Amino acid sequence: QVHLVQSGAEVKKPGASVTVSCKTSGYPFTGYYIHWVRQAPGQGLEWLGWINPNRGATTFAPKFQGRVTMTRDTSMRTVYLVLSRLRSDDTAVYFCAREGGNSGYDDLDHWGQGTLVTVSS
Amino acid sequence: DIVMTQSPDSLGVALGERATINCRSSQSVWDSSNNKNNLAWYQQKPGQPPKLLIYWASNREPGVPDRFTGGGSGTDFTLTIDSLQAEDLAVYYCQQYYSNPITFGPGTTVDIK
């Protein structure tokens, strides 16, 4: 059974960086892209980008280019999102999600539980 | 960016009745390389992550009840929920995965009339 389990809530000050982890199980880790999507309080869904765990290749939404990093540890079956230079409007629940296909552009068929990141001085 | 819009913003439906949600993309999400629409629908309940319902515009994800039906092509899509059940009360999002950045509609809230 596919599972994505994310790290716990974080509180950060403006200008800091945050790391959110997503530990996977139940499927071949290197066979599926992992995407990151966030949701500000009471708002809709916003896509940040994806990582291909096979080779570590990444693609980011232009809005986050230069501020986001995605990495993976294949031995731990875990992917990481790092968002830097945090602002108050980065306050959101961050989700990792497994892609159903194998292209970087496909539906998201399994999701983590979400990690609340609060940015506040 | 492909902008996704949804209508209505919210929808009150009696239990057992049909709900229809519309989604429009600012440009076509039809992929001629595979003859598919790169469009998905998700359901999100409070405090939970989104759940995939429909992919390629009209394919139901395994385990999703057959009262959920996706349709449309190109730029105009619909999600229909036949015989609404209490557990269907949620926010529904469409998503295009045709191009970067992947974008979502603003969501449609379905509640009981």
Side-chain angles (χ1 to χ4, degrees):
Chain A
Q1 196 170 5
V2 175
H3 287 292
L4 286 74
V5 179
Q6 299 182 222
S7 50
E10 302 268 8
V11 179
K12 296 291 182 180
K13 294 190 183 303
S17 297
V18 68
T19 299
V20 180
S21 66
C22 174
K23 184 171 179 60
T24 71
S25 61
Y27 70 95
F29 176 68
T30 56
Y32 293 82
Y33 290 57
I34 295 291
H35 294 237
W36 290 91
V37 175
R38 75 180 186 180
Q39 186 169 38
Q43 302 301 309
L45 301 166
E46 184 175 33
W47 180 76
L48 285 80
W50 56 248
I51 181 168
N52 179 349
N54 187 27
R55 296 177 180 269
T58 54
T59 288
F60 307 127
K63 172 179 177 177
F64 297 101
Q65 196 81 33
R67 225 168 43 98
V68 68
T69 305
M70 296 177 190
T71 60
R72 92 287 191 216
D73 181 333
T74 54
S75 67
M76 296 293 291
R77 299 180 53 94
T78 300
V79 298
Y80 301 91
L81 167 72
V82 179
L83 189 61
S84 60
R85 302 193 302 277
L86 289 168
R87 305 185 294 256
S88 58
D89 62 358
D90 291 318
T91 294
V93 175
Y94 288 74
F95 296 101
C96 61
R98 192 191 82 159
E99 181 185 300
N102 191 26
S103 67
Y105 297 94
D106 215 308
D107 58 76
L108 303 175
D109 63 358
H110 290 85
W111 294 64
Q113 83 276 19
T115 297
L116 175 61
V117 175
T118 303
V119 183
S120 174
S121 54
Chain B
D1 298 8
I2 297 178
V3 177
M4 307 299 290
T5 56
Q6 291 182 229
S7 62
D9 295 335
S10 63
L11 184 58
V13 180
L15 294 178
E17 297 299 307
R18 172 180 291 180
T20 300
I21 302 168
N22 301 294
C23 173
R24 176 168 288 176
S25 56
S26 60
Q27 61 190 79
S28 176
V29 298
W30 170 259
D31 188 344
S32 58
S33 68
N34 61 9
N35 290 333
K36 294 179 180 178
N37 290 284
N38 290 23
L39 189 286
W41 288 95
Y42 298 85
Q43 174 193 68
Q44 188 179 32
K45 297 179 180 179
Q48 296 184 17
K51 173 188 175 183
L52 177 65
L53 298 175
I54 303 287
Y55 60 96
W56 300 128
S58 60
N59 291 79
R60 199 176 297 114
E61 178 73 352
V64 173
D66 60 7
R67 62 180 180 273
F68 291 91
T69 302
S73 184
T75 61
D76 290 281
F77 302 90
T78 58
L79 174 69
T80 301
I81 311 171
D82 283 315
S83 187
L84 190 82
Q85 305 297 302
E87 66 255 33
D88 301 335
L89 306 181
V91 180
Y92 293 84
Y93 295 95
C94 60
Q95 174 215 21
Q96 68 80 17
Y97 44 90
Y98 180 80
S99 67
N100 182 352
I102 290 171
T103 49
F104 294 85
T108 294
T109 302
V110 174
D111 54 23
I112 296 177
K113 181 165 63 176

